[in-house]
Amino acid sequence: MDNLGQALLMAAGMFWQTGWTLVLGFTVSALLQSVVSTEQMRRALGRDGAREIALASLAGAASSSCSYASAAIMRTLFKKGAALTTSLAFLFASTNLVLELGIILYLLLGWPFMAGEWIGGLVLIAVMSVIVRLTYPKRLAEEARRHEEAGAGHQHMSMTVEGATLREKLAKAETRIRIAQNFSMEWSMLWKDLAIGFLVGGLLSAFVPDTAWKALFLTDASPWLKVPLNALLGPLIAVLTFVCSIGNVPLAAVLWGGGASFGGVLAFLYADLIVLPLLDAYRRYFGWRMAAYIGGVFYVTMVIAALVMDLAFTGLGWVPDHAGDVRAHLTHFALNYTFWLNLGFGALAAYWFWMARKHPMQHGHGDHGGGEGRHAHHHG
């Protein structure tokens, strides 16, 4: 019972330390979804050149941080004509370069992990682009575009405000309604993953002894053996946890506290796109052969990127040590800046939920900006 109490306290502490960042990130994401349509992105991403990949990365960084929603947008972009490389670049950017993910990593693990996630996101896109160019399955890609989907799930359509310019869109009262609707939709897609992530992180920190983590991650082994094996192991742990998107950050904190290498933790964080439910979503979207290709490319990309970041940060002396009690830090509650930020952003979240309840989103309608739905809710 003492361990269970510690697990729940740890879960509550992780949520307390990161709560305001979620509201901030969801608000920024909801704003951008309200003024930029999927159709606009698709028209800009038809080729796989450096310019298009850069645009896809920027669009992904400004998009939803929910892995399921990002996969649904990628599906729409690819099937409507976007190149495979740019579609996958959007997917990597939307789950590695988003604002709230970096802030949460900074709060839970420190700036090296925030930098490792954001810089590593660019490395992921570069490595993936090279691998796809070298192995591009042209026939398989065309089959995937034409693949008939079955059981696509309940669609949540993101509504884009009409207007000739960004300034005109922002001036409309309708924009606040759209932000509230998209904010509410984003939360509805992510709260379960977040809750599971916090709870599983708390349980693992309380019930799994440090000796087990040290043995799993070969803490006492030579770096020449430990670093590559941790990079190979990190994504496999992520696949088996079923927790994706921001929900795997608390687990990353537990792995780091247990002795995983810097690259191993980054590989775990990068691997939110190959958890089993998402691999199944790729199968439904594109067929099992394309799903296997995407899963294989992603795994190799994540391992290589994690190794590159580990070697680079080690060479620069930026890898933090494991000193310090992660549990004590995450379960410290006080009347500090976190309290006031949670209070202020909590009020903002309440306003968005009230506005969304007052103006409920109509399901099953197209994007007001001319695009397909920007989100598909595939949880459960």
Side-chain angles (χ1 to χ4, degrees), residues 23 26-27 30 179-187 349 352-353:
V23 179
F26 291 171
T27 299
I179 292 173
Q181 292 172 336
N182 289 324
F183 180 93
S184 178
M185 180 175 62
E186 189 95 343
W187 178 258
W352 291 137
F353 284 127

Side-chain angles (χ1 to χ4, degrees), residues 118-310:
W118 282 345
I119 299 172
L122 300 177
V123 175
L124 285 166
I125 292 169
V127 173
M128 177 276 298
S129 300
V130 172
I131 293 176
V132 172
R133 282 180 181 273
L134 293 176
T135 64
Y136 186 70
K138 184 176 181 180
R139 183 176 177 182
L140 181 58
E142 292 308 312
E143 290 177 359
R145 287 190 201 274
R146 299 190 301 267
H147 180 72
E148 293 288 338
E149 297 180 35
H154 180 65
Q155 302 292 320
H156 286 261
M157 302 303 185
S158 176
M159 312 298 276
T160 305
V161 177
E162 294 180 345
T165 64
L166 176 61
R167 185 172 182 177
E168 180 182 335
K169 292 179 180 180
L170 292 176
K172 291 186 174 182
E174 178 191 3
T175 302
R176 288 200 310 276
I177 297 174
R178 296 292 177 238
I179 292 173
Q181 292 172 336
N182 289 324
F183 180 93
S184 178
M185 180 175 62
E186 189 95 343
W187 178 258
S188 72
M189 289 187 294
L190 272 176
W191 77 267
K192 289 182 181 178
D193 284 306
L194 290 167
I196 292 172
F198 290 137
L199 287 172
V200 173
L203 290 170
L204 290 177
S205 69
F207 285 95
V208 179
D210 289 341
T211 53
W213 293 120
K214 293 182 186 301
L216 178 64
F217 292 110
L218 304 177
T219 304
D220 298 325
S222 165
W224 295 101
L225 177 63
K226 174 184 174 180
V227 171
L229 285 181
N230 276 216
L232 290 167
L233 185 61
L236 299 179
I237 296 175
V239 170
L240 298 177
T241 62
F242 279 68
V243 181
C244 65
S245 192
I246 301 175
N248 67 0
V249 177
L251 303 186
V254 173
L255 297 182
W256 178 247
S261 70
F262 182 74
V265 175
L266 288 179
F268 173 82
L269 288 167
Y270 298 155
D272 59 339
L273 291 174
I274 55 173
V275 296
L276 292 178
L278 273 172
L279 291 175
D280 184 60
Y282 303 148
R283 177 192 61 80
R284 286 189 283 106
Y285 293 159
F286 309 120
W288 69 267
R289 292 175 60 203
M290 191 61 173
Y293 175 79
I294 291 175
V297 168
F298 279 11
Y299 179 76
V300 173
T301 298
M302 291 160 184
V303 172
I304 293 175
L307 288 172
V308 169
M309 295 307 297
D310 197 311

